[in-house]
Amino acid sequence: MRQMRYALASGIVIASLAALGAAAFGHDSGGMGGGGGGTGGGGGGSDGQGQISPARVYFNQGAEFSKKKSWHLAIQAYAQAVRLDPKFTEAWNNLGSCYRRVKDYDKSFDAYKHALDLKPDYPNAHEYMGRTYLATGNKDAAMREYEILKRLDAKMAEELLKAIQANDADLGDTD
């Protein structure tokens, strides 16, 4: 009986901590929303027992903030995700995208480089790296990313090429 009370109390504490963590980013503890695809070679999934990892919770929060164009809040959430799971490729990529949106290009490049160090053929990071080069006025580097992207994802490469030709880093970017 005593063990059951301890187990129940532990469960309440864990649930409370989860709710507090979500509340810190303006969400209640229900329904964190979708994450936008797989992990892309990094962690951030479940723990193998059906439980969502803390890094994935922050990733999902970042995705929700990104949908609302709350870039600074998304940056905070994605930064927490990669702090908890430094091998979370998709979180690094999305962090870079958010930094690009707030025109912090150095941090944006750094985040994409982390993603590409983990998964060199990750098309999303190459596309966004190209868009960031374009935003900084470096069309030659943007074209190099386009050439890499052509091998990895022709449709994504076409979207990047249109942005380069229009000299508009945000053209066709639907995140």
Side-chain angles (χ1 to χ4, degrees):
M1 187 66 153
R2 181 178 284 174
Q3 288 177 338
M4 192 161 41
R5 275 187 270 158
Y6 286 129
L8 179 60
S10 297
I12 292 170
V13 169
I14 290 169
S16 297
L17 290 173
L20 286 173
F25 285 99
H27 290 289
D28 62 23
S29 60
M32 299 311 299
T39 60
S46 68
D47 67 3
Q49 298 175 357
Q51 297 292 320
I52 198 164
S53 75
R56 176 58 69 173
V57 170
Y58 282 110
F59 178 88
N60 290 347
Q61 289 173 348
E64 290 299 314
F65 287 128
S66 292
K67 286 179 191 172
K68 297 174 185 172
K69 298 186 184 327
S70 297
W71 306 120
H72 292 286
L73 293 174
I75 287 168
Q76 290 176 6
Y78 289 130
Q80 280 292 77
V82 298
R83 184 186 66 75
L84 292 169
D85 185 354
K87 294 183 179 185
F88 196 164
T89 306
E90 193 173 27
W92 280 113
N93 182 66
N94 289 10
L95 179 61
S97 178
C98 291
Y99 277 128
R100 178 174 58 88
R101 295 297 189 156
V102 299
K103 299 182 182 346
D104 193 338
Y105 300 122
D106 289 338
K107 288 183 180 176
S108 182
F109 283 125
D110 185 55
Y112 297 134
K113 287 176 185 172
H114 272 91
L116 291 170
D117 284 346
L118 293 167
K119 188 174 180 189
D121 288 339
Y122 187 49
N124 299 54
H126 284 289
E127 179 193 8
Y128 287 142
M129 181 83 85
R131 289 179 180 278
T132 306
Y133 279 127
L134 184 59
T136 62
N138 191 341
K139 276 189 171 180
D140 290 339
M143 282 302 293
R144 285 192 298 273
E145 292 300 323
Y146 163 74
E147 292 297 330
I148 294 168
L149 194 54
K150 269 196 324 190
R151 292 185 293 108
L152 303 173
D153 187 314
K155 185 177 178 184
M156 233 183 255
E158 187 61 35
E159 289 299 313
L160 177 58
L161 183 60
K162 288 177 188 175
I164 293 168
Q165 291 170 337
N167 199 29
D168 181 354
D170 296 327
L171 181 70
D173 186 9
T174 59
D175 57 39

